[in-house]
Amino acid sequence: GQQLNQSPQSMFIQEGEDVSMNCTSSSIFNTWLWYKQDPGEGPVLLIALYKAGELTSNGRLTAQFGITRKDSFLNISASIPSDVGIYFCAGQLGDFSGSRLTFGEGTQLTVNP
Amino acid sequence: DTGVSQDPRHKITKRGQNVTFRCDPISEHNRLYWYRQTLGQGPEFLTYFQNEAQLEKSRLLSDRFSAERPKGSFSTLEIQRTEQGDSAMYLCASSLGNSGKETQYFGPGTRLLVL
């Protein structure tokens, strides 16, 4: 079953606002990834984090790999209507310990124009 | 388009029938994964291949499920004697698993409905 706790479950914001969501785990991961999924489609990779403490940006998105390796957060600045969707965090142990991704339950983001 | 492709995109079947899904990974990706996603949940791991070898299977993968990757390129996932509980989105992902920074890229999924 799922090991990651992702919060919040849903967010309703106004266009232009900043958004923050996070993911925590009871066990460590060596890689954290953030995906966005639109209805009826597969997850699309947003940001990948490979090192504890790493802070990475991709346009208006910023994500950090927690120093304990048990958590990660994703920030979206100046939200726009096309940011609507479900955001998933995923953790991975790595090559020699297992390559499977373990996903959170997702954060549903709604942006009101 | 050079991304991961899946076929069919949608499948409706009657309980007890067999279904088979296909996944074509990104060219030269040596790892291929299958996940299952039910409504309101994140994807859950089913199995993965490195080249043609099936290296890991989840406990979710009952004996009615079988996956193959015969030539280390495309993969098929077969579900025998489908049950209503098999209704879900089946996602395929591929990666290049030799760089130490493995990143999995997902296909659009196959949505299965078992009546």
Side-chain angles (χ1 to χ4, degrees), chain B residues 11-21 64 77-83 112:
Chain B
K11 179 71 177 178
I12 299 175
T13 191
K14 292 183 179 178
R15 190 176 52 187
Q17 297 294 305
N18 299 343
V19 294
T20 299
F21 309 141
R64 295 186 297 106
L77 177 69
E78 181 183 17
I79 309 174
Q80 295 182 327
R81 305 180 302 280
T82 52
E83 301 172 355
L112 172 66

Side-chain angles (χ1 to χ4, degrees), chain A residues 1-2 31 33 35 37-45 48 50 54 86 88 92 94-106, chain B residues 9-10 31 33 35 37 40-45 48 56-59 89 91 97-109 111:
Chain A
Q2 304 283 356
T31 299
L33 304 112
Y35 290 87
Q37 187 174 29
D38 292 326
E41 299 294 331
V44 174
L45 181 69
Y50 300 105
E54 180 180 356
I86 304 177
F88 289 100
Q92 183 186 50
D95 265 2
F96 301 107
S97 303
S99 293
R100 63 167 69 186
L101 294 180
T102 300
F103 282 84
E105 293 190 342
Chain B
R9 292 292 310 274
H10 301 92
R31 289 184 177 174
Y33 300 78
Y35 292 84
Q37 185 178 27
Q41 301 293 319
E44 292 183 289
F45 170 80
Y48 100 92
E56 190 178 0
K57 291 193 287 188
S58 162
R59 285 172 294 177
M89 172 83 94
L91 293 162
N98 61 0
S99 65
K101 290 188 175 183
E102 180 187 1
T103 302
Q104 294 181 28
Y105 297 91
F106 284 81
R111 183 169 292 283

Side-chain angles (χ1 to χ4, degrees), chain A residues 4 23-32 49-54 64-72 90-94 97:
Chain A
L4 301 187
C23 214
T24 59
S25 171
S26 57
S27 54
I28 64 170
F29 289 103
N30 294 317
T31 299
W32 282 92
L49 303 156
Y50 300 105
K51 187 177 177 182
E54 180 180 356
Q64 184 156 29
F65 189 147
I67 199 72
T68 65
R69 295 196 285 162
K70 291 184 178 181
D71 63 312
S72 177
Q92 183 186 50
L93 280 173
S97 303

